[in-house]
Amino acid sequence: MKNTFYLIVFGFLAFTSCSDKESDKIVLSKAKLSGYAQKGPFINGTSIVLSELDENFTLTGKTFEVQIMDNSGRFEVKNVSLASEIVQLKANGYYYNEITGEQSVAPITLYALANIESADSVCVNVLTHLEKPRIEYLIGTGLSFEEASEQAHSEVLSLFGFSSTSGHTADQMSIIGGDSEDAILLAASVILQAYRTEGELSEMLADIITDMREDGKLDNENIATNLINQAVLLEIEEIKQNLVARYAELETVVTAPDFETLLSSFIENSGFTPVGEISYPTSARYGQNILNDALDTITAWGFYSMAAELPAGNSLHIKISGATWAYEVMPDAPINWTSDDFSFETMSQNFYSVTKGLDCNLKIQFFHNDDKVEEGEDITIEYFENACETATHTRQVHINFAPPV
């Protein structure tokens, strides 16, 4: 009886070992797989992890980890041997923000799923990131990877009112490529980034993924309004100049793809309803309005309004720096404005709308610094509309000094 028992155990172990070897079978080998990680371009030092998926599209635990090779976002993974042609890529790091023209202050993480059987290059970007959970859900319903990928790609593009005519997948798009598909990626990238911080961008991507994962549609009106409200504020020429300047630093000559037509189409045809734009009247209760772009010179000691008309749902933050000033608190307290304390270190002060949708105004006057009387002085006004952490508009106003009357 004991001998029989041992023979049964041995047979079981032999069967298990045979199964393990079968799962380790290599079906794809590449000497090199390259690509780009882009939001704007991820910077040198960004971590790229390529993970093997099995025939059920689950992670096997086999990974290849490399770092971005330079500030263009380029990476290379060498000697890739896999049991499946479908892989997951993960990019985590800092990136160049094409809206602000500066490096991000915090890292973000983007993912991609790709079939690399016939591809030697693959990209990670915001479109691949949005598509990944939808692809996984559709595979769970019985679709093949190719079918799920094609459907998810079409649905994510539809979110922006875009459509693909070339059949390119998101993992083959580049924000500095020259064709219409690359323009789609750049347009989607700037719409999603807009004036959001890295944390706000990550939250926006996560919210869209959650909303679209099961039905492929964006139904959340708050997300749609958030997208359109910041899209209408984007400065197209500045974005293009930022990208060209960035790649010039990398000694690479590029021409930003023609994304402005797509951005305009999104604003006009997405079906998303923007909250009315904030306006800054020429003059208000206390005189000429320092927030109106037409007013580029003011006189010291004179009284001015700092006024904004806020349609329902809008909020506003104004930062003034340079010179010194005072505003009236009695008998007419600031109308729908609150402020922090004046900073003598930065010579600046922040003003915030108190209630969304209510107009703002206050009575303000500016004074001279003793050493600036002869030549005058400039103040800088920064506008942060609708909770944007990055200024949506910045301008300078010159102060002419005259003795008080």
mmCIF file of all heavy atoms in Angstrom, residues 176-225:
data_model
loop_
_atom_site.group_PDB
_atom_site.id
_atom_site.type_symbol
_atom_site.label_atom_id
_atom_site.label_comp_id
_atom_site.label_asym_id
_atom_site.label_seq_id
_atom_site.Cartn_x
_atom_site.Cartn_y
_atom_site.Cartn_z
ATOM 1 N N ILE A 176 4.649 64.673 -31.315
ATOM 2 C CA ILE A 176 5.444 65.464 -32.248
ATOM 3 C C ILE A 176 5.496 64.808 -33.621
ATOM 4 O O ILE A 176 6.329 65.147 -34.455
ATOM 5 C CB ILE A 176 6.876 65.697 -31.721
ATOM 6 C CG1 ILE A 176 7.578 64.368 -31.432
ATOM 7 C CG2 ILE A 176 6.859 66.595 -30.515
ATOM 8 C CD1 ILE A 176 9.063 64.510 -31.173
ATOM 9 N N GLY A 177 4.601 63.863 -33.853
ATOM 10 C CA GLY A 177 4.532 63.243 -35.168
ATOM 11 C C GLY A 177 3.890 64.198 -36.165
ATOM 12 O O GLY A 177 3.348 65.250 -35.806
ATOM 13 N N GLY A 178 3.923 63.823 -37.430
ATOM 14 C CA GLY A 178 3.475 64.762 -38.450
ATOM 15 C C GLY A 178 2.109 64.511 -39.039
ATOM 16 O O GLY A 178 1.652 65.307 -39.857
ATOM 17 N N ASP A 179 1.427 63.415 -38.656
ATOM 18 C CA ASP A 179 0.157 63.141 -39.325
ATOM 19 C C ASP A 179 -1.038 63.469 -38.440
ATOM 20 O O ASP A 179 -0.909 63.930 -37.312
ATOM 21 C CB ASP A 179 0.105 61.690 -39.820
ATOM 22 C CG ASP A 179 0.175 60.675 -38.681
ATOM 23 O OD1 ASP A 179 -0.230 61.001 -37.553
ATOM 24 O OD2 ASP A 179 0.628 59.537 -38.934
ATOM 25 N N SER A 180 -2.219 63.225 -38.992
ATOM 26 C CA SER A 180 -3.460 63.604 -38.306
ATOM 27 C C SER A 180 -3.669 62.822 -37.019
ATOM 28 O O SER A 180 -4.279 63.323 -36.066
ATOM 29 C CB SER A 180 -4.658 63.395 -39.244
ATOM 30 O OG SER A 180 -4.744 62.032 -39.657
ATOM 31 N N GLU A 181 -3.177 61.583 -36.967
ATOM 32 C CA GLU A 181 -3.321 60.779 -35.760
ATOM 33 C C GLU A 181 -2.502 61.381 -34.613
ATOM 34 O O GLU A 181 -2.940 61.399 -33.464
ATOM 35 C CB GLU A 181 -2.858 59.345 -36.029
ATOM 36 C CG GLU A 181 -3.609 58.646 -37.147
ATOM 37 C CD GLU A 181 -5.077 58.434 -36.821
ATOM 38 O OE1 GLU A 181 -5.380 57.929 -35.738
ATOM 39 O OE2 GLU A 181 -5.922 58.787 -37.662
ATOM 40 N N ASP A 182 -1.316 61.880 -34.931
ATOM 41 C CA ASP A 182 -0.476 62.507 -33.913
ATOM 42 C C ASP A 182 -1.110 63.802 -33.409
ATOM 43 O O ASP A 182 -1.004 64.149 -32.233
ATOM 44 C CB ASP A 182 0.920 62.775 -34.473
ATOM 45 C CG ASP A 182 1.608 61.496 -34.938
ATOM 46 O OD1 ASP A 182 1.536 60.497 -34.210
ATOM 47 O OD2 ASP A 182 2.189 61.506 -36.036
ATOM 48 N N ALA A 183 -1.770 64.526 -34.310
ATOM 49 C CA ALA A 183 -2.487 65.736 -33.913
ATOM 50 C C ALA A 183 -3.609 65.401 -32.930
ATOM 51 O O ALA A 183 -3.877 66.156 -31.989
ATOM 52 C CB ALA A 183 -3.052 66.446 -35.141
ATOM 53 N N ILE A 184 -4.252 64.249 -33.127
ATOM 54 C CA ILE A 184 -5.299 63.797 -32.212
ATOM 55 C C ILE A 184 -4.730 63.601 -30.814
ATOM 56 O O ILE A 184 -5.320 64.036 -29.817
ATOM 57 C CB ILE A 184 -5.937 62.485 -32.725
ATOM 58 C CG1 ILE A 184 -6.862 62.775 -33.910
ATOM 59 C CG2 ILE A 184 -6.713 61.777 -31.609
ATOM 60 C CD1 ILE A 184 -7.426 61.531 -34.563
ATOM 61 N N LEU A 185 -3.573 62.941 -30.729
ATOM 62 C CA LEU A 185 -2.958 62.708 -29.424
ATOM 63 C C LEU A 185 -2.590 64.026 -28.746
ATOM 64 O O LEU A 185 -2.859 64.202 -27.557
ATOM 65 C CB LEU A 185 -1.705 61.840 -29.566
ATOM 66 C CG LEU A 185 -0.883 61.665 -28.279
ATOM 67 C CD1 LEU A 185 -1.701 61.005 -27.179
ATOM 68 C CD2 LEU A 185 0.386 60.862 -28.566
ATOM 69 N N LEU A 186 -1.986 64.969 -29.489
ATOM 70 C CA LEU A 186 -1.601 66.239 -28.888
ATOM 71 C C LEU A 186 -2.829 67.012 -28.426
ATOM 72 O O LEU A 186 -2.835 67.592 -27.330
ATOM 73 C CB LEU A 186 -0.790 67.069 -29.878
ATOM 74 C CG LEU A 186 -0.298 68.432 -29.366
ATOM 75 C CD1 LEU A 186 0.481 68.286 -28.068
ATOM 76 C CD2 LEU A 186 0.549 69.124 -30.435
ATOM 77 N N ALA A 187 -3.880 67.023 -29.231
ATOM 78 C CA ALA A 187 -5.109 67.726 -28.842
ATOM 79 C C ALA A 187 -5.695 67.125 -27.569
ATOM 80 O O ALA A 187 -6.077 67.850 -26.638
ATOM 81 C CB ALA A 187 -6.135 67.667 -29.978
ATOM 82 N N ALA A 188 -5.763 65.795 -27.501
ATOM 83 C CA ALA A 188 -6.290 65.141 -26.299
ATOM 84 C C ALA A 188 -5.403 65.425 -25.094
ATOM 85 O O ALA A 188 -5.899 65.647 -23.979
ATOM 86 C CB ALA A 188 -6.398 63.635 -26.527
ATOM 87 N N SER A 189 -4.083 65.449 -25.305
ATOM 88 C CA SER A 189 -3.152 65.698 -24.209
ATOM 89 C C SER A 189 -3.328 67.081 -23.607
ATOM 90 O O SER A 189 -3.331 67.242 -22.392
ATOM 91 C CB SER A 189 -1.701 65.515 -24.691
ATOM 92 O OG SER A 189 -1.439 64.178 -25.038
ATOM 93 N N VAL A 190 -3.474 68.095 -24.479
ATOM 94 C CA VAL A 190 -3.605 69.457 -23.943
ATOM 95 C C VAL A 190 -4.973 69.679 -23.314
ATOM 96 O O VAL A 190 -5.111 70.420 -22.339
ATOM 97 C CB VAL A 190 -3.310 70.520 -25.027
ATOM 98 C CG1 VAL A 190 -1.901 70.371 -25.565
ATOM 99 C CG2 VAL A 190 -4.316 70.476 -26.161
ATOM 100 N N ILE A 191 -6.003 69.032 -23.845
ATOM 101 C CA ILE A 191 -7.342 69.148 -23.245
ATOM 102 C C ILE A 191 -7.341 68.554 -21.842
ATOM 103 O O ILE A 191 -7.895 69.131 -20.909
ATOM 104 C CB ILE A 191 -8.400 68.453 -24.133
ATOM 105 C CG1 ILE A 191 -8.619 69.253 -25.423
ATOM 106 C CG2 ILE A 191 -9.725 68.298 -23.376
ATOM 107 C CD1 ILE A 191 -9.421 68.494 -26.475
ATOM 108 N N LEU A 192 -6.719 67.405 -21.685
ATOM 109 C CA LEU A 192 -6.684 66.749 -20.384
ATOM 110 C C LEU A 192 -5.784 67.486 -19.394
ATOM 111 O O LEU A 192 -6.108 67.627 -18.225
ATOM 112 C CB LEU A 192 -6.212 65.305 -20.545
ATOM 113 C CG LEU A 192 -7.202 64.377 -21.261
ATOM 114 C CD1 LEU A 192 -6.503 63.105 -21.707
ATOM 115 C CD2 LEU A 192 -8.385 64.047 -20.356
ATOM 116 N N GLN A 193 -4.629 67.966 -19.877
ATOM 117 C CA GLN A 193 -3.717 68.682 -18.985
ATOM 118 C C GLN A 193 -4.280 70.039 -18.614
ATOM 119 O O GLN A 193 -4.435 70.365 -17.442
ATOM 120 C CB GLN A 193 -2.357 68.866 -19.657
ATOM 121 C CG GLN A 193 -1.363 69.694 -18.844
ATOM 122 C CD GLN A 193 -0.905 68.988 -17.584
ATOM 123 O OE1 GLN A 193 -0.184 68.003 -17.635
ATOM 124 N NE2 GLN A 193 -1.327 69.498 -16.436
ATOM 125 N N ALA A 194 -4.562 70.853 -19.636
ATOM 126 C CA ALA A 194 -5.047 72.223 -19.442
ATOM 127 C C ALA A 194 -4.279 72.892 -18.298
ATOM 128 O O ALA A 194 -3.055 72.830 -18.249
ATOM 129 C CB ALA A 194 -6.554 72.225 -19.229
ATOM 130 N N TYR A 195 -4.998 73.499 -17.368
ATOM 131 C CA TYR A 195 -4.326 74.207 -16.271
ATOM 132 C C TYR A 195 -4.378 73.400 -14.974
ATOM 133 O O TYR A 195 -4.390 73.954 -13.882
ATOM 134 C CB TYR A 195 -4.952 75.590 -16.090
ATOM 135 C CG TYR A 195 -4.756 76.464 -17.308
ATOM 136 C CD1 TYR A 195 -5.763 76.603 -18.255
ATOM 137 C CD2 TYR A 195 -3.548 77.101 -17.537
ATOM 138 C CE1 TYR A 195 -5.579 77.379 -19.390
ATOM 139 C CE2 TYR A 195 -3.342 77.874 -18.667
ATOM 140 C CZ TYR A 195 -4.362 78.012 -19.585
ATOM 141 O OH TYR A 195 -4.168 78.782 -20.718
ATOM 142 N N ARG A 196 -4.378 72.074 -15.117
ATOM 143 C CA ARG A 196 -4.457 71.200 -13.952
ATOM 144 C C ARG A 196 -3.070 70.876 -13.396
ATOM 145 O O ARG A 196 -2.109 70.756 -14.144
ATOM 146 C CB ARG A 196 -5.182 69.897 -14.315
ATOM 147 C CG ARG A 196 -6.605 70.123 -14.773
ATOM 148 C CD ARG A 196 -7.327 68.866 -15.209
ATOM 149 N NE ARG A 196 -8.687 69.223 -15.614
ATOM 150 C CZ ARG A 196 -9.020 69.586 -16.851
ATOM 151 N NH1 ARG A 196 -8.106 69.573 -17.802
ATOM 152 N NH2 ARG A 196 -10.254 69.953 -17.130
ATOM 153 N N THR A 197 -3.014 70.703 -12.092
ATOM 154 C CA THR A 197 -1.792 70.205 -11.479
ATOM 155 C C THR A 197 -1.647 68.725 -11.814
ATOM 156 O O THR A 197 -2.567 68.096 -12.363
ATOM 157 C CB THR A 197 -1.833 70.363 -9.953
ATOM 158 O OG1 THR A 197 -2.896 69.542 -9.429
ATOM 159 C CG2 THR A 197 -2.073 71.813 -9.543
ATOM 160 N N GLU A 198 -0.516 68.159 -11.478
ATOM 161 C CA GLU A 198 -0.311 66.732 -11.717
ATOM 162 C C GLU A 198 -1.334 65.893 -10.956
ATOM 163 O O GLU A 198 -1.864 64.909 -11.486
ATOM 164 C CB GLU A 198 1.109 66.317 -11.312
ATOM 165 C CG GLU A 198 2.198 66.935 -12.164
ATOM 166 C CD GLU A 198 2.477 68.397 -11.812
ATOM 167 O OE1 GLU A 198 2.209 68.788 -10.658
ATOM 168 O OE2 GLU A 198 2.958 69.139 -12.682
ATOM 169 N N GLY A 199 -1.630 66.300 -9.717
ATOM 170 C CA GLY A 199 -2.625 65.577 -8.933
ATOM 171 C C GLY A 199 -4.002 65.687 -9.553
ATOM 172 O O GLY A 199 -4.761 64.704 -9.615
ATOM 173 N N GLU A 200 -4.354 66.881 -10.030
ATOM 174 C CA GLU A 200 -5.658 67.076 -10.666
ATOM 175 C C GLU A 200 -5.752 66.320 -11.986
ATOM 176 O O GLU A 200 -6.815 65.777 -12.328
ATOM 177 C CB GLU A 200 -5.898 68.569 -10.889
ATOM 178 C CG GLU A 200 -6.132 69.344 -9.609
ATOM 179 C CD GLU A 200 -6.135 70.841 -9.825
ATOM 180 O OE1 GLU A 200 -5.510 71.324 -10.797
ATOM 181 O OE2 GLU A 200 -6.753 71.552 -9.019
ATOM 182 N N LEU A 201 -4.646 66.273 -12.732
ATOM 183 C CA LEU A 201 -4.633 65.509 -13.985
ATOM 184 C C LEU A 201 -4.847 64.030 -13.707
ATOM 185 O O LEU A 201 -5.669 63.369 -14.371
ATOM 186 C CB LEU A 201 -3.313 65.722 -14.719
ATOM 187 C CG LEU A 201 -3.072 64.823 -15.940
ATOM 188 C CD1 LEU A 201 -4.135 65.052 -17.003
ATOM 189 C CD2 LEU A 201 -1.670 65.062 -16.515
ATOM 190 N N SER A 202 -4.129 63.484 -12.729
ATOM 191 C CA SER A 202 -4.279 62.065 -12.389
ATOM 192 C C SER A 202 -5.704 61.765 -11.938
ATOM 193 O O SER A 202 -6.274 60.714 -12.292
ATOM 194 C CB SER A 202 -3.279 61.681 -11.291
ATOM 195 O OG SER A 202 -1.949 61.787 -11.760
ATOM 196 N N GLU A 203 -6.288 62.675 -11.179
ATOM 197 C CA GLU A 203 -7.669 62.483 -10.725
ATOM 198 C C GLU A 203 -8.638 62.529 -11.899
ATOM 199 O O GLU A 203 -9.581 61.727 -11.984
ATOM 200 C CB GLU A 203 -8.033 63.552 -9.694
ATOM 201 C CG GLU A 203 -9.441 63.401 -9.138
ATOM 202 C CD GLU A 203 -9.776 64.458 -8.098
ATOM 203 O OE1 GLU A 203 -8.979 65.404 -7.918
ATOM 204 O OE2 GLU A 203 -10.843 64.337 -7.455
ATOM 205 N N MET A 204 -8.407 63.462 -12.832
ATOM 206 C CA MET A 204 -9.266 63.561 -14.005
ATOM 207 C C MET A 204 -9.207 62.274 -14.828
ATOM 208 O O MET A 204 -10.238 61.728 -15.242
ATOM 209 C CB MET A 204 -8.836 64.755 -14.864
ATOM 210 C CG MET A 204 -9.504 64.843 -16.237
ATOM 211 S SD MET A 204 -11.304 65.071 -16.132
ATOM 212 C CE MET A 204 -11.351 66.780 -15.569
ATOM 213 N N LEU A 205 -8.007 61.760 -15.070
ATOM 214 C CA LEU A 205 -7.870 60.516 -15.825
ATOM 215 C C LEU A 205 -8.576 59.360 -15.120
ATOM 216 O O LEU A 205 -9.268 58.553 -15.765
ATOM 217 C CB LEU A 205 -6.386 60.189 -16.014
ATOM 218 C CG LEU A 205 -5.580 61.143 -16.910
ATOM 219 C CD1 LEU A 205 -4.095 60.820 -16.825
ATOM 220 C CD2 LEU A 205 -6.056 61.074 -18.346
ATOM 221 N N ALA A 206 -8.420 59.282 -13.801
ATOM 222 C CA ALA A 206 -9.047 58.197 -13.034
ATOM 223 C C ALA A 206 -10.568 58.306 -13.087
ATOM 224 O O ALA A 206 -11.281 57.297 -13.215
ATOM 225 C CB ALA A 206 -8.558 58.228 -11.589
ATOM 226 N N ASP A 207 -11.090 59.527 -13.008
ATOM 227 C CA ASP A 207 -12.544 59.725 -13.048
ATOM 228 C C ASP A 207 -13.114 59.337 -14.418
ATOM 229 O O ASP A 207 -14.194 58.733 -14.503
ATOM 230 C CB ASP A 207 -12.888 61.182 -12.728
ATOM 231 C CG ASP A 207 -12.673 61.532 -11.260
ATOM 232 O OD1 ASP A 207 -12.544 60.596 -10.446
ATOM 233 O OD2 ASP A 207 -12.618 62.729 -10.938
ATOM 234 N N ILE A 208 -12.416 59.698 -15.482
ATOM 235 C CA ILE A 208 -12.872 59.329 -16.823
ATOM 236 C C ILE A 208 -12.857 57.809 -16.985
ATOM 237 O O ILE A 208 -13.803 57.212 -17.519
ATOM 238 C CB ILE A 208 -11.981 59.991 -17.899
ATOM 239 C CG1 ILE A 208 -12.178 61.509 -17.884
ATOM 240 C CG2 ILE A 208 -12.306 59.427 -19.287
ATOM 241 C CD1 ILE A 208 -11.229 62.263 -18.796
ATOM 242 N N ILE A 209 -11.791 57.174 -16.530
ATOM 243 C CA ILE A 209 -11.680 55.712 -16.619
ATOM 244 C C ILE A 209 -12.833 55.037 -15.888
ATOM 245 O O ILE A 209 -13.469 54.109 -16.416
ATOM 246 C CB ILE A 209 -10.329 55.252 -16.042
ATOM 247 C CG1 ILE A 209 -9.198 55.572 -17.031
ATOM 248 C CG2 ILE A 209 -10.342 53.754 -15.720
ATOM 249 C CD1 ILE A 209 -7.819 55.371 -16.466
ATOM 250 N N THR A 210 -13.109 55.494 -14.674
ATOM 251 C CA THR A 210 -14.197 54.901 -13.881
ATOM 252 C C THR A 210 -15.534 55.036 -14.597
ATOM 253 O O THR A 210 -16.342 54.099 -14.637
ATOM 254 C CB THR A 210 -14.276 55.568 -12.503
ATOM 255 O OG1 THR A 210 -13.048 55.341 -11.797
ATOM 256 C CG2 THR A 210 -15.432 55.008 -11.680
ATOM 257 N N ASP A 211 -15.762 56.202 -15.193
ATOM 258 C CA ASP A 211 -17.044 56.470 -15.837
ATOM 259 C C ASP A 211 -17.217 55.691 -17.149
ATOM 260 O O ASP A 211 -18.329 55.280 -17.492
ATOM 261 C CB ASP A 211 -17.182 57.972 -16.103
ATOM 262 C CG ASP A 211 -18.575 58.358 -16.538
ATOM 263 O OD1 ASP A 211 -19.492 58.338 -15.679
ATOM 264 O OD2 ASP A 211 -18.774 58.629 -17.729
ATOM 265 N N MET A 212 -16.114 55.463 -17.887
ATOM 266 C CA MET A 212 -16.208 54.856 -19.212
ATOM 267 C C MET A 212 -15.934 53.362 -19.227
ATOM 268 O O MET A 212 -16.182 52.700 -20.242
ATOM 269 C CB MET A 212 -15.228 55.546 -20.173
ATOM 270 C CG MET A 212 -15.541 56.991 -20.468
ATOM 271 S SD MET A 212 -14.463 57.686 -21.775
ATOM 272 C CE MET A 212 -14.984 56.726 -23.213
ATOM 273 N N ARG A 213 -15.436 52.806 -18.155
ATOM 274 C CA ARG A 213 -14.926 51.441 -18.175
ATOM 275 C C ARG A 213 -15.966 50.422 -18.644
ATOM 276 O O ARG A 213 -15.649 49.525 -19.440
ATOM 277 C CB ARG A 213 -14.420 51.050 -16.786
ATOM 278 C CG ARG A 213 -13.858 49.629 -16.705
ATOM 279 C CD ARG A 213 -13.297 49.318 -15.337
ATOM 280 N NE ARG A 213 -12.878 47.933 -15.260
ATOM 281 C CZ ARG A 213 -13.684 46.946 -14.921
ATOM 282 N NH1 ARG A 213 -14.955 47.185 -14.616
ATOM 283 N NH2 ARG A 213 -13.234 45.691 -14.879
ATOM 284 N N GLU A 214 -17.196 50.536 -18.195
ATOM 285 C CA GLU A 214 -18.183 49.489 -18.490
ATOM 286 C C GLU A 214 -19.031 49.759 -19.728
ATOM 287 O O GLU A 214 -19.450 48.819 -20.400
ATOM 288 C CB GLU A 214 -19.082 49.261 -17.273
ATOM 289 C CG GLU A 214 -18.333 48.687 -16.077
ATOM 290 C CD GLU A 214 -19.258 48.295 -14.944
ATOM 291 O OE1 GLU A 214 -20.495 48.378 -15.125
ATOM 292 O OE2 GLU A 214 -18.754 47.893 -13.878
ATOM 293 N N ASP A 215 -19.300 51.049 -20.035
ATOM 294 C CA ASP A 215 -20.172 51.307 -21.188
ATOM 295 C C ASP A 215 -19.486 52.103 -22.299
ATOM 296 O O ASP A 215 -20.085 52.334 -23.360
ATOM 297 C CB ASP A 215 -21.464 52.025 -20.762
ATOM 298 C CG ASP A 215 -21.213 53.422 -20.192
ATOM 299 O OD1 ASP A 215 -20.044 53.868 -20.177
ATOM 300 O OD2 ASP A 215 -22.189 54.068 -19.759
ATOM 301 N N GLY A 216 -18.246 52.519 -22.085
ATOM 302 C CA GLY A 216 -17.510 53.217 -23.132
ATOM 303 C C GLY A 216 -17.966 54.626 -23.400
ATOM 304 O O GLY A 216 -17.586 55.235 -24.403
ATOM 305 N N LYS A 217 -18.776 55.195 -22.496
ATOM 306 C CA LYS A 217 -19.304 56.544 -22.689
ATOM 307 C C LYS A 217 -19.010 57.403 -21.458
ATOM 308 O O LYS A 217 -18.980 56.890 -20.339
ATOM 309 C CB LYS A 217 -20.815 56.505 -22.929
ATOM 310 C CG LYS A 217 -21.226 55.735 -24.169
ATOM 311 C CD LYS A 217 -22.746 55.691 -24.305
ATOM 312 C CE LYS A 217 -23.172 54.899 -25.528
ATOM 313 N NZ LYS A 217 -24.660 54.829 -25.644
ATOM 314 N N LEU A 218 -18.829 58.703 -21.700
ATOM 315 C CA LEU A 218 -18.658 59.635 -20.598
ATOM 316 C C LEU A 218 -20.019 60.217 -20.259
ATOM 317 O O LEU A 218 -20.586 61.011 -21.012
ATOM 318 C CB LEU A 218 -17.682 60.758 -20.976
ATOM 319 C CG LEU A 218 -17.381 61.761 -19.859
ATOM 320 C CD1 LEU A 218 -16.642 61.084 -18.705
ATOM 321 C CD2 LEU A 218 -16.554 62.929 -20.378
ATOM 322 N N ASP A 219 -20.550 59.812 -19.115
ATOM 323 C CA ASP A 219 -21.881 60.249 -18.695
ATOM 324 C C ASP A 219 -21.842 61.297 -17.585
ATOM 325 O O ASP A 219 -22.858 61.934 -17.300
ATOM 326 C CB ASP A 219 -22.694 59.045 -18.198
ATOM 327 C CG ASP A 219 -22.801 57.960 -19.254
ATOM 328 O OD1 ASP A 219 -23.159 58.297 -20.393
ATOM 329 O OD2 ASP A 219 -22.515 56.792 -18.937
ATOM 330 N N ASN A 220 -20.693 61.457 -16.947
ATOM 331 C CA ASN A 220 -20.570 62.361 -15.803
ATOM 332 C C ASN A 220 -20.492 63.807 -16.285
ATOM 333 O O ASN A 220 -19.509 64.231 -16.890
ATOM 334 C CB ASN A 220 -19.330 61.994 -14.987
ATOM 335 C CG ASN A 220 -19.247 62.742 -13.675
ATOM 336 O OD1 ASN A 220 -19.431 63.950 -13.618
ATOM 337 N ND2 ASN A 220 -18.958 62.012 -12.602
ATOM 338 N N GLU A 221 -21.527 64.595 -16.014
ATOM 339 C CA GLU A 221 -21.582 65.977 -16.491
ATOM 340 C C GLU A 221 -20.538 66.862 -15.815
ATOM 341 O O GLU A 221 -20.062 67.830 -16.424
ATOM 342 C CB GLU A 221 -22.985 66.558 -16.270
ATOM 343 C CG GLU A 221 -24.051 65.909 -17.145
ATOM 344 C CD GLU A 221 -25.405 66.570 -16.994
ATOM 345 O OE1 GLU A 221 -25.497 67.577 -16.256
ATOM 346 O OE2 GLU A 221 -26.366 66.087 -17.622
ATOM 347 N N ASN A 222 -20.176 66.553 -14.583
ATOM 348 C CA ASN A 222 -19.163 67.355 -13.897
ATOM 349 C C ASN A 222 -17.804 67.227 -14.590
ATOM 350 O O ASN A 222 -17.072 68.211 -14.726
ATOM 351 C CB ASN A 222 -19.043 66.924 -12.428
ATOM 352 C CG ASN A 222 -20.240 67.327 -11.609
ATOM 353 O OD1 ASN A 222 -20.916 68.317 -11.913
ATOM 354 N ND2 ASN A 222 -20.533 66.572 -10.559
ATOM 355 N N ILE A 223 -17.469 66.003 -15.018
ATOM 356 C CA ILE A 223 -16.221 65.794 -15.743
ATOM 357 C C ILE A 223 -16.259 66.556 -17.070
ATOM 358 O O ILE A 223 -15.297 67.249 -17.441
ATOM 359 C CB ILE A 223 -15.979 64.301 -16.014
ATOM 360 C CG1 ILE A 223 -15.809 63.534 -14.698
ATOM 361 C CG2 ILE A 223 -14.747 64.106 -16.896
ATOM 362 C CD1 ILE A 223 -15.696 62.035 -14.875
ATOM 363 N N ALA A 224 -17.360 66.435 -17.787
ATOM 364 C CA ALA A 224 -17.498 67.103 -19.085
ATOM 365 C C ALA A 224 -17.374 68.620 -18.937
ATOM 366 O O ALA A 224 -16.669 69.273 -19.724
ATOM 367 C CB ALA A 224 -18.843 66.739 -19.712
ATOM 368 N N THR A 225 -18.026 69.182 -17.934
ATOM 369 C CA THR A 225 -17.956 70.628 -17.716
ATOM 370 C C THR A 225 -16.544 71.060 -17.344
ATOM 371 O O THR A 225 -16.050 72.086 -17.820
ATOM 372 C CB THR A 225 -18.939 71.045 -16.601
ATOM 373 O OG1 THR A 225 -20.275 70.703 -16.998
ATOM 374 C CG2 THR A 225 -18.870 72.547 -16.354
#
